[in-house]
Amino acid sequence: MNKISEAFACLDEALFEEQMEKVETLLAAVRREGRLPVKGGELYYELYPRREARAAIVICHGFCESSEKYWEFIYYLYSAGYQVAVFDQRGHGKSLRERVDAGVVHVEDFEDYVEDLHLFLEGVVKKMADGGPLYLYAHSMGGCVGARYLEKYPADFQKAVLNTPMLAIYTGPCPLSVAKAVCDMAKLFGRGKKRLFTQGVFRPDMPFAKSCSDSEVRYCYYQKKRRQNSCYQTSAASYTWGSTAIRAGYRAVSSKNASQVSIPVLLCQAGRDRQVKAPAQRKFIKRVQNGKLCVYLDSKHELYRAGNAVLKPYMENILGFFG
């Protein structure tokens, strides 16, 4: 373990809001915001450049998330000597929408996410990195985007962390194949852009117990931001999104595609995850050429927003891996 990871300290959960105010001030002083033209509109992005950086880390967020949700995580990476780049994926945050109802995430083809990431890397991130190493941190839906990216563009990143990647969506007792068939049938009848019948509208009062985080203060902190800003209130997928996301997971896990990934990949898995399925993650990490699986048995889906008892060793693991 390197010196940076040994010295790592989380924000105090008892003083979280107070300390996050200082973090936001620090990040605001270095943040550069911009918009990147892509198919259908523009993507909002944030850069956190620094001189003599160890590397540039690109963050690819998850379903119904935004760049702002990662500010604490960005602060940790920046403090450890890294430049950071993050963007709101299409259908999320301050980026373009492909549907009138801003609460529903819709994309015609999951590969559009992959190509958006490629354009962000080529058009923005590589200029900031200035020839330095490029690392990827991708969570949940972003983890599936990241996996497909590593398969299609295997030479762009030198290392990657896939955090609870959405390689197979958790659909409860309903088999994934049946869920996809339902989505495909809805598309056939012209309902592809409609909200999936299993998902509802944004709930400003959703209790912490039903969240994906193990830290109540972290959950409440961002939930407050969601209540105050309608662009963060995405809450559901369209039928087309469901179909293409399931298909993307199949593609990512296939032996033919996964075996193309040669860089070191750390896959972090949560034992109490009810958003994605663990078997697909295990298949993927076994099929890549240089993969490592790390399991946090007592944690929920959002490991990067866990309570400090888990977050500290988790961050030490991430920083040690990036090194």
Side-chain angles (χ1 to χ4, degrees):
M1 191 175 293
N2 61 32
K3 292 182 178 179
I4 284 181
S5 58
E6 287 175 352
F8 179 80
C10 302
L11 299 186
D12 189 335
E13 288 185 274
L15 303 170
F16 188 76
E17 286 201 30
E18 176 184 335
Q19 292 185 349
M20 272 304 297
E21 287 182 7
K22 297 178 181 178
V23 167
E24 290 192 11
T25 299
L26 183 150
L27 293 180
V30 298
R31 180 167 55 243
R32 297 179 185 173
E33 301 176 43
R35 291 192 171 274
L36 176 69
V38 294
K39 182 178 73 174
E42 294 181 327
L43 300 178
Y44 167 81
Y45 66 82
E46 298 177 358
L47 301 179
Y48 297 87
R50 66 178 303 154
R51 295 179 181 177
E52 300 181 358
R54 290 170 164 262
I57 298 177
V58 179
I59 296 174
C60 193
H61 71 69
F63 181 66
C64 291
E65 292 191 329
S66 70
S67 299
E68 190 165 347
K69 190 175 181 180
Y70 285 77
W71 281 356
E72 180 189 3
F73 185 68
I74 290 169
Y75 167 71
Y76 294 146
L77 297 179
Y78 187 83
S79 298
Y82 295 97
Q83 301 187 90
V84 183
V86 61
F87 68 103
D88 290 351
Q89 300 204 65
R90 62 176 60 228
H92 296 78
K94 301 173 183 177
S95 289
L96 70 98
R97 297 290 198 272
E98 297 184 58
R99 192 183 184 283
V100 175
D101 184 349
V104 176
V105 178
H106 174 80
V107 66
E108 288 294 326
D109 189 341
F110 201 88
E111 296 300 300
D112 288 346
Y113 289 132
V114 181
E115 293 311 309
D116 287 347
L117 177 56
H118 184 61
L119 288 173
F120 183 52
L121 206 72
E122 293 295 327
V124 179
V125 179
K126 286 186 177 180
K127 294 177 184 178
M128 181 183 75
D130 194 25
L134 294 172
Y135 299 158
L136 175 67
Y137 178 90
H139 169 67
S140 193
M141 182 193 87
C144 187
V145 175
R148 290 292 297 132
Y149 191 96
L150 299 178
E151 293 166 352
K152 293 183 73 173
Y153 303 102
D156 281 353
F157 290 104
Q158 282 71 60
K159 294 181 181 182
V161 173
L162 302 183
N163 186 65
T164 60
M166 188 193 74
L167 302 177
I169 301 170
Y170 180 78
T171 52
C174 177
L176 206 55
S177 58
V178 174
K180 186 177 184 301
V182 170
C183 291
D184 288 340
M185 186 64 67
K187 286 174 58 181
L188 186 64
F189 284 93
R191 294 182 56 80
K193 292 187 177 182
K194 299 294 184 181
R195 181 188 304 267
L196 263 164
F197 77 95
T198 57
Q199 301 184 359
V201 299
F202 169 67
R203 289 182 55 189
D205 60 343
M206 189 179 81
F208 163 66
K210 293 187 177 182
S211 76
C212 299
S213 172
D214 286 318
S215 172
E216 187 167 5
V217 292
R218 291 184 169 94
Y219 168 73
C220 291
Y221 174 80
Y222 186 66
Q223 186 69 357
K224 181 180 178 180
K225 289 181 176 291
R226 295 187 73 192
R227 286 195 295 267
Q228 294 172 343
N229 194 331
S230 61
C231 73
Y232 296 154
Q233 294 176 7
T234 48
S235 61
S238 70
Y239 285 100
T240 298
W241 185 95
S243 174
T244 193
I246 292 171
R247 185 168 63 248
Y250 291 154
R251 288 175 177 171
V253 175
S254 73
S255 296
K256 177 183 177 181
N257 292 328
S259 63
Q260 301 300 311
V261 182
S262 59
I263 64 169
V265 177
L266 174 64
L267 193 154
C268 297
Q269 188 179 87
R272 295 168 56 216
D273 203 325
R274 292 298 179 268
Q275 308 300 314
V276 296
K277 294 183 177 181
Q281 297 172 346
R282 291 194 290 268
K283 284 183 181 179
F284 173 83
I285 204 64
K286 285 180 180 179
R287 291 170 175 174
V288 303
Q289 297 178 37
N290 189 2
K292 178 183 178 182
L293 176 67
C294 187
V295 183
Y296 297 83
L297 287 174
D298 295 325
S299 298
K300 289 184 179 180
H301 185 59
E302 294 178 355
L303 289 169
Y304 71 97
R305 294 207 305 164
N308 285 8
V310 171
L311 185 60
K312 185 179 189 299
Y314 172 77
M315 288 302 308
E316 289 172 347
N317 192 21
I318 299 297
L319 295 174
F321 174 75
F322 283 144

